[in-house]
Each structure stands twice: as C-alpha cells, then as structure tokens.
Amino acid sequence: QVQLEESGGGLVQPGGSLRLSCAASGFTFRLYHMSWHRQAPGKERELVASISNDGGIYYTDFVKGRFTISRDNAKNGVYLQMNNLKPDDTAVYYCKAAWNMATYWGQGTQVTVSP
C-alpha cells in the first residue's frame, strides 16, 4: 500500500522556521521524483520545490533562498526546510511522488505563519 505521510507543520511567527518531512512507503522511493506543493485557502495548488531521482533540484521563485528541499533514499524521506517564513507561506503543504505513469500524493500538513 502506497503511503506518503507529511509531518512538521504548525503555527510559526513571521521570520520563523519549520522543517517538513514526508515519509514514503509502498513503492521504490529512489526511483521517484519528489516534490512539495502547497495550497492556500481559495487558491490553486502550486509547486514549491522538487528534487529528482538523481538529485536535481528546482525551486519556485517565491521560495528561493528561504526553503531547502532534500531527500534521504535510505530513509525513504523527503524534507523541506523552511526559513524566514512569511504570512503568504500559510497553506497546506503536500508531498508528491511521481515516476513513469504513477503519481502519489500525501494528505498534507498545515503551515500557518502569523504573529
């Protein structure tokens, strides 16, 4: 059974940090391209950052210099270190795995940035 379980969300003040984790199981993790997406209330889900199965990394402009994506194939995990958080970063953050014709999503973890 495929599972992607996000954790690490919460309430943080502007300028603070959070580290999101995504634990994967039920598929060959090392083959998959992994990414973090987010969806704010009333908005479409958007890509935040991605890391390919060979370690290539992409960040969207609004998180460059603040967020860092990483993966640990030995632990079947992908991570998102988020620094200097802003209120606009408030959203549900989702982990996604994709390879070939298969795509899997986690259930999401809420990140709220507020004074």
Side-chain angles (χ1 to χ4, degrees), residues 4-6 45 94-96 104-108:
L4 290 173
E5 185 172 358
E6 301 95 337
R45 192 173 298 189
Y94 297 90
C95 173
K96 175 187 170 183
Y104 308 121
W105 290 91
Q107 293 300 305

Side-chain angles (χ1 to χ4, degrees), residues 66-112:
R66 299 190 298 125
F67 292 9
T68 302
I69 190 171
S70 61
R71 66 188 295 163
D72 185 337
N73 289 341
K75 295 183 178 180
N76 286 1
V78 62
Y79 312 97
L80 188 68
Q81 176 67 43
M82 306 187 295
N83 297 329
N84 190 21
L85 283 160
K86 304 176 181 181
D88 284 349
D89 295 318
T90 295
V92 178
Y93 284 71
Y94 297 90
C95 173
K96 175 187 170 183
W99 179 68
N100 205 1
M101 299 297 289
T103 300
Y104 308 121
W105 290 91
Q107 293 300 305
T109 185
Q110 176 69 46
V111 171
T112 302

